[in-house]
Amino acid sequence: MKIMVFGATGNTGRRVLAQGLQSGHEMTAFVRNPQKLRDQLGEHAAGRVRVIAADMTDPASVGAALAQQDAAILAAGHAGQGEEFVRIVDTVISQCESQPRFSGRVWMMGGAGLLDIPHTALIGNNLPGFPPEFQTHNRNFERLQRSALDWSVMCPGTMTESREHPEPVRLQVATDILPVPVPEAIGACSEAEIAGHLFSRLHELNVAYDDVASWMLDHLELGGPFKRKRVGLAYRRTAPALRGDGEA
């Protein structure tokens, strides 16, 4: 596929770019600093990437970059940027909508606070104690919901350099809700109590950047199971496989 990565030098974007190259995709990187990209990838890998050096808040540059792309992965910006983050997302989404030569598959980064809390009508970002800057994720999600694009929002917790589990684990995936078990009794708790419960369990939502990147790359088909969904990831511990029948 032809894949555009916005924010290709960031922690998530550079992993998407590297894994996409390894999988044989035609990767395009939209960045502000091409030299940083070359330093990260190395000259050989960087030579296989189409690089566009421009401003993500410039509609003309973004629209031209999206032409003939099969998918766009928006890994640029962060909640702490506030209005700038919102402008970046709105510009990219608007150009995805208006560019006739873009097929319309979009992944955007959000956060676990965007996910529904089971047995409640709440999401984490709206609970007391959650950083107010996370409301920018809410606004970006609302922008996507107003779009007719084929989109998904990746909603991990804290992302780590690698899997920090000594025992075997596998990914637990949930659409629109937190990917960890939540007791039904939480529905009778106050918002402050729910927030406290979630804060005590945030470590369960830690996932590796590489797993986040590979999940998005593995689900780029139009009309797939994650179309217009928020996607939560967590690790589930698994028992070691027993040796037998030629398998380990």
Side-chain angles (χ1 to χ4, degrees):
M1 298 181 71
K2 295 180 179 179
I3 303 170
M4 167 66 65
V5 183
F6 291 95
T9 58
N11 283 320
T12 304
R14 62 187 173 90
R15 289 168 168 87
V16 170
L17 200 62
Q19 290 187 27
L21 287 174
Q22 291 173 359
S23 298
H25 295 297
E26 295 182 36
M27 307 299 293
T28 299
F30 196 108
V31 296
R32 288 180 296 182
N33 187 342
Q35 184 58 51
K36 183 177 180 181
L37 180 71
R38 288 191 288 270
D39 292 342
Q40 289 176 342
L41 289 179
E43 290 296 334
H44 175 69
R48 298 162 54 203
V49 177
R50 178 188 174 209
V51 179
I52 298 175
D55 183 352
M56 276 177 288
T57 61
D58 175 34
S61 297
V62 173
L66 285 165
Q68 299 181 334
Q69 296 292 317
D70 298 315
I73 296 179
L74 179 47
H78 56 84
Q81 290 176 289
E83 290 300 321
E84 182 182 357
F85 186 29
V86 173
R87 284 196 301 273
I88 288 170
V89 170
D90 180 63
T91 299
V92 173
I93 298 305
S94 295
Q95 293 306 306
C96 287
E97 292 170 327
S98 61
Q99 172 53 262
R101 292 184 292 169
F102 176 71
S103 67
R105 183 67 176 129
V106 178
W107 271 100
M108 184 181 81
M109 295 300 299
L114 271 178
L115 296 168
D116 296 337
I117 302 167
H119 317 299
T120 77
L122 301 167
I123 66 171
N125 286 348
N126 295 341
L127 290 173
F130 273 69
E133 57 264 31
F134 283 10
Q135 292 294 316
T136 56
H137 287 307
N138 294 16
R139 293 170 62 189
N140 291 339
F141 178 48
E142 290 164 3
R143 174 64 183 88
L144 270 182
Q145 289 178 302
R146 295 193 299 271
S147 169
L149 293 169
D150 185 333
W151 54 260
S152 301
V153 185
M154 175 55 68
C155 299
T158 299
M159 289 185 283
T160 62
E161 291 295 322
S162 61
R163 291 184 178 181
E164 298 175 349
H165 299 278
E167 67 272 35
V169 296
R170 64 182 177 87
L171 276 176
Q172 173 74 18
V173 182
T175 54
D176 294 327
I177 66 170
L178 287 170
V180 294
V182 176
E184 188 172 350
I186 202 169
C189 295
S190 68
E191 291 189 4
E193 289 170 332
I194 294 171
H197 178 80
L198 293 183
F199 285 137
S200 71
R201 300 182 61 186
L202 288 180
H203 64 282
E204 297 177 43
L205 297 170
N206 294 353
V207 291
Y209 286 107
D210 284 324
D211 285 329
V212 169
S214 63
W215 187 264
M216 291 189 289
L217 287 168
D218 287 344
H219 296 89
L220 291 174
E221 70 278 15
L222 286 169
F226 301 105
K227 178 180 179 179
R228 300 183 70 84
K229 299 290 186 181
R230 292 158 288 160
V231 179
L233 302 179
Y235 292 129
R236 174 179 289 180
R237 292 174 175 80
T238 61
L242 296 176
R243 188 175 300 275
D245 297 326
E247 297 180 353

